[in-house]
C-alpha cells in the first residue's frame, strides 16, 4: 500500500542515526524483481517554507503517484544550515539523504569530498543536452557530472512603482543614479530609498562585479578580492549606507529586508526570482501585483553584472537506493516539472525547451530575469567557492556598520582566502 509523502522534521531525520536512508521496513534496492522502482527516497529540500516548499512537495507527491512503490520522505532543511548538515551526515556515514537540493556552489565541494554519486550515464541526466550551458557548468567537477541543474537565477532591483511615482523618479541604471534616486525618495516621501542586506555577502557581489572585480581568479589561482576594484566596491556600498541612501543590518537581513519592502517602508531592494512569491504576499503588492517593478542591478563604474545562482539536485554516494534516487532526480528536473515550478513560483528553468511552454513563455518575471541570467557572472566552480563567503561576510558587515574601513575589510578577506586556498597568490 502506497503511503503519502512524508513531511518529516529535520531533527527526526537526523535522529535516524544508525538507520540507513530508505530503511523503513521496505526494500532499499530501488527496483522490484519485475524492474519496478520501489523503496524509500529521502529528499532534503532547501526551498523557502510557506511558499516554494508547497510546490516542491506537490511535485514529489506526483512522483509517488507515478511510482506507487516508492515512498518519498520529504524534509525541508533551512538553507543556511543545509550545507554543513549534509557534510556532517555524509562524513559520519549516517543520516544523509538520498537526494539533496544543493546551492550551485556546494556541488563541487561535495563532489571533491567524495559525497556525491557521479551521474554520467544514469537516468538522472536524461536529455542532458537540453540544459543551459551556464547551468550545467556548476554540475561538473574533474570531468564528471555530480548534479542536475534544477533552477537558475541572478539578481535585480525590486522597486515599488507607487513610491517611485510619488517621488517623481525613474529607475536608476547606475550606482550614482541609485544614490540620487534614493535621496530624492526620502526627501519627497519620507521613505528609505534602498534596503541593502548587510548580513549576507552574496548581496555584495553585484557591486564588486560593477567595479570590475571578483573574489578570485581560478585560472591563475590568484586572490583578487583585495585589489583596487575590491576596495572601490566596499567604498561604494559603505557610501550608500553612510549617505542615508540605503539602510542595512547586521542580523536577520532577509526578514528585515522583506518586511520593510513588502510594507512599503523602503522603495527598493536587491533580490532574485526566489523572492517574488513572498513579495507578492506583502501589503503593498497582495492586491496590486503590478505595483512591483524589477530592473537590472545598477551598473558600477566599470560594468553591470549580477552573480549566477541557482540550485542543483545531487545524489548521495552512499544512498542504498540509487535507482529510485536517479529517477526522482530526473523527474524533479524534467521539462514538465521545471515548467510547473516556473508557472507557480516564477523560478527560471535550466532546460532550454521549458522556456517555450505555456505559462513559462508568457511569465513576466521569467521574461525579465532570463536576459539577466544570460549575462550573469559565473562564480568559480572550485570546491572552496562555498567557503569564500564566511570571511567575506564578516568583513562586509563590519564595513557597513563602521567597524572597519573598506581597505582593511578586503585586506582581511584576502588574507583569509590565501589561508584557505593553499598556494594561491
Amino acid at each position: 500500500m502506497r503511503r503519502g509523502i512524508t513531511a518529516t522534521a529535520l531533527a527526526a531525520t537526523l535522529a535516524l542515526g544508525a538507520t540507513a536512508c530508505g530503511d523503513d521496513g521496505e526494500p532499499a534496492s530501488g527496483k522490484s524483481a519485475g524492474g519496478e522502482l520501489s523503496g524509500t527516497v529521502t529528499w532534503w529540500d532547501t526551498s523557502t517554507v510557506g511558499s516554494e516548499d508547497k510546490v516542491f512537495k506537490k511535485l514529489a507527491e506526483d512522483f509517488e503517484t507515478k511510482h506507487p512503490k516508492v515512498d518519498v520522505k520529504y524534509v525541508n532543511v533551512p538553507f543556511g544550515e543545509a550545507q554543513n548538515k549534509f557534510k556532517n551526515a555524509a562524513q559520519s556515514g549516517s543520516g544523509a539523504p538520498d537526494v539533496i537540493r544543493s546551492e550551485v556552489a556546494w556541488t563541487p565541494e561535495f563532489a571533491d569530498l567524495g559525497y556525491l554519486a557521479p551521474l554520467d550515464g544514469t537516468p538522472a541526466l536524461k536529455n542532458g543536452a537540453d540544459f543551459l550551458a551556464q547551468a550545467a557548468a556548476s554540475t561538473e567537477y574533474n570531468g564528471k557530472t555530480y548534479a542536475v541543474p534544477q533552477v537558475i537565477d541572478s539578481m535585480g532591483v525590486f522597486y515599488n512603482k507607487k513610491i517611485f511615482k510619488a517621488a517623481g523618479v525613474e529607475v536608476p541604471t547606475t550606482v550614482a543614479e541609485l544614490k540620487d534616486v534614493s535621496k530624492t525618495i526620502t526627501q519627497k516621501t519620507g521613505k528609505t530609498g534602498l534596503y541593502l542586506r548587510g548580513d549576507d555577502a552574496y548581496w555584495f557581489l553585484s557591486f564588486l562585479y560593477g567595479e570590475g572585480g571578483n573574489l578570485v581568479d581560478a585560472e591563475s589561482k590568484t586572490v583578487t578580492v583585495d585589489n583596487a576594484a575590491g576596495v572601490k566596491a566596499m567604498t561604494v556600498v559603505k557610501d550608500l549606507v553612510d549617505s542615508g541612501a540605503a539602510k542595512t543590518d547586521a542580523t536577520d537581513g532577509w526578514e528585515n529586508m522583506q518586511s520593510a519592502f513588502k510594507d512599503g517602508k523602503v522603495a527598493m531592494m536587491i533580490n532574485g526570482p526566489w523572492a517574488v512569491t513572498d513579495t507578492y504576499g506583502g501589503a503593498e503588492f497582495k492586491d496590486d501585483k503590478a505595483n512591483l517593478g524589477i530592473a537590472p542591478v545598477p551598473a558600477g563604474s566599470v560594468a553591470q553584472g549580477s552573480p549566477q545562482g541557482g540550485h542543483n539536485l545531487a545524489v548521495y554516494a552512499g544512498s542504498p537506493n540509487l535507482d529510485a534516487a536517479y529517477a526522482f532526480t530526473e523527474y524533479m528536473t524534467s521539462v514538465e516539472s521545471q515548467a510547473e515550478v516556473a508557472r507557480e513560483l516564477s523560478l527560471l528553468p535550466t532546460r532550454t525547451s521549458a522556456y517555450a511552454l505555456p505559462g513559462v513563455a508568457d511569465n513576466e518575471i521569467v521574461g525579465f530575469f532570463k536576459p539577466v541570467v544570460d549575462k550573469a557572472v559565473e562564480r568559480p566552480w572550485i570546491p572552496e567557492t562555498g567557503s569564500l563567503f564566511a570571511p567575506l561576510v564578516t568583513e562586509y558587515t563590519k564595513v557597513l556598520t563602521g567597524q572597519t574601513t573598506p581597505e582593511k575589510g578586503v585586506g582581511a578577506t584576502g588574507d583569509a582566502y590565501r589561508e584557505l586556498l593553499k598556494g594561491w597568490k
Side-chain angles (χ1 to χ4, degrees):
M1 176 178 174
R2 187 183 71 84
R3 295 190 301 274
I5 186 167
T6 309
T8 312
L10 174 62
T13 300
L14 296 181
L16 289 173
T19 305
C21 289
D23 183 10
D24 62 349
E26 296 183 6
S29 63
K31 287 187 178 180
S32 66
E36 185 178 5
L37 289 173
S38 63
T40 300
V41 173
T42 299
W43 177 39
W44 281 12
D45 176 27
T46 57
S47 66
T48 305
V49 174
S51 55
E52 295 180 340
D53 63 324
K54 297 176 183 178
V55 175
F56 290 119
K57 281 182 186 178
K58 178 61 169 57
L59 284 174
E61 289 173 343
D62 292 343
F63 176 81
E64 286 187 321
T65 300
K66 186 177 179 67
H67 300 284
K69 292 187 178 181
V70 178
D71 175 33
V72 177
K73 287 188 177 295
Y74 176 94
V75 186
N76 188 282
V77 183
F79 177 78
E81 302 173 12
Q83 183 180 12
N84 286 333
K85 286 186 181 295
F86 179 78
K87 287 194 293 185
N88 290 339
Q91 183 179 30
S92 69
S94 123
D98 298 286
V99 180
I100 182 172
R101 186 175 190 256
S102 161
E103 206 275 341
V104 289
W106 302 349
T107 299
E109 178 188 18
F110 292 164
D112 184 65
L113 291 169
Y115 297 158
L116 301 182
L119 300 180
D120 301 282
T122 73
L125 278 180
K126 184 178 179 180
N127 297 329
D130 191 32
F131 290 113
L132 299 170
Q134 66 268 44
S138 70
T139 69
E140 299 167 359
Y141 181 67
N142 277 353
K144 295 183 178 180
T145 305
Y146 287 95
V148 185
Q150 184 191 39
V151 295
I152 189 170
D153 58 53
S154 191
M155 304 179 85
V157 169
F158 288 41
Y159 64 97
N160 187 312
K161 294 180 181 179
K162 291 179 181 177
I163 295 178
F164 267 58
K165 183 177 180 179
V169 295
E170 300 294 329
V171 179
T173 60
T174 67
V175 172
E177 290 178 3
L178 175 65
K179 182 177 177 180
D180 290 341
V181 166
S182 292
K183 286 186 172 182
T184 300
I185 287 172
T186 300
Q187 292 169 0
K188 296 288 184 67
T189 70
K191 311 280 189 179
T192 299
L194 172 70
Y195 203 113
L196 180 63
R197 282 194 71 176
D199 67 332
D200 191 330
Y202 192 69
W203 267 250
F204 169 65
L205 293 183
S206 294
F207 295 96
L208 180 61
Y209 299 153
E211 299 307 323
N214 210 325
L215 300 179
V216 300
D217 181 341
E219 186 174 348
S220 65
K221 292 189 174 182
T222 303
V223 172
T224 57
V225 68
D226 53 356
N227 62 16
V231 175
K232 178 66 181 298
M234 278 290 187
T235 302
V236 166
V237 293
K238 178 173 172 55
D239 178 60
L240 287 173
V241 173
D242 289 350
S243 67
K247 66 183 300 184
T248 191
D249 51 67
T251 58
D252 298 324
W254 173 262
E255 293 297 333
N256 293 337
M257 176 178 67
Q258 286 295 110
S259 295
F261 185 71
K262 291 189 296 184
D263 293 342
K265 296 177 181 177
V266 298
M268 291 178 282
M269 67 174 178
I270 295 174
N271 226 322
W274 59 83
V276 172
T277 300
D278 181 66
T279 300
Y280 277 153
E284 289 286 295
F285 310 100
K286 189 173 184 179
D287 297 321
D288 185 11
K289 291 183 178 181
N291 188 37
L292 175 63
I294 302 177
V297 172
S301 63
V302 176
Q304 189 279 330
S306 298
Q308 178 189 320
H311 288 83
N312 302 326
L313 291 192
V315 175
Y316 173 47
S319 168
N321 198 353
L322 287 173
D323 286 333
Y326 294 151
F328 178 76
T329 299
E330 186 278 321
Y331 182 84
M332 296 297 287
T333 58
S334 66
V335 174
E336 295 77 13
S337 293
Q338 290 195 12
E340 181 66 13
V341 170
R343 284 190 288 265
E344 294 292 331
L345 300 172
S346 295
L347 298 182
L348 276 71
T350 59
R351 287 187 176 275
T352 302
S353 57
Y355 286 89
L357 298 181
V360 182
D362 55 354
N363 184 299
E364 183 180 9
I365 303 300
V366 171
F368 167 76
F369 275 106
K370 182 57 167 62
V372 174
V373 163
D374 289 342
K375 296 180 180 179
V377 180
E378 286 191 33
R379 284 174 280 165
W381 305 126
I382 58 175
E384 299 85 359
T385 293
S387 301
L388 297 179
F389 287 93
L392 178 60
V393 71
T394 297
E395 299 303 321
Y396 174 59
T397 301
K398 287 167 65 176
V399 169
L400 291 183
T401 55
Q403 300 175 61
T404 191
T405 65
E407 292 83 2
K408 291 180 179 179
V410 295
T413 303
D415 290 343
Y417 284 6
R418 292 182 182 88
E419 185 67 26
L420 173 68
L421 302 166
K422 302 297 184 182
W424 285 47
K425 297 179 283 184

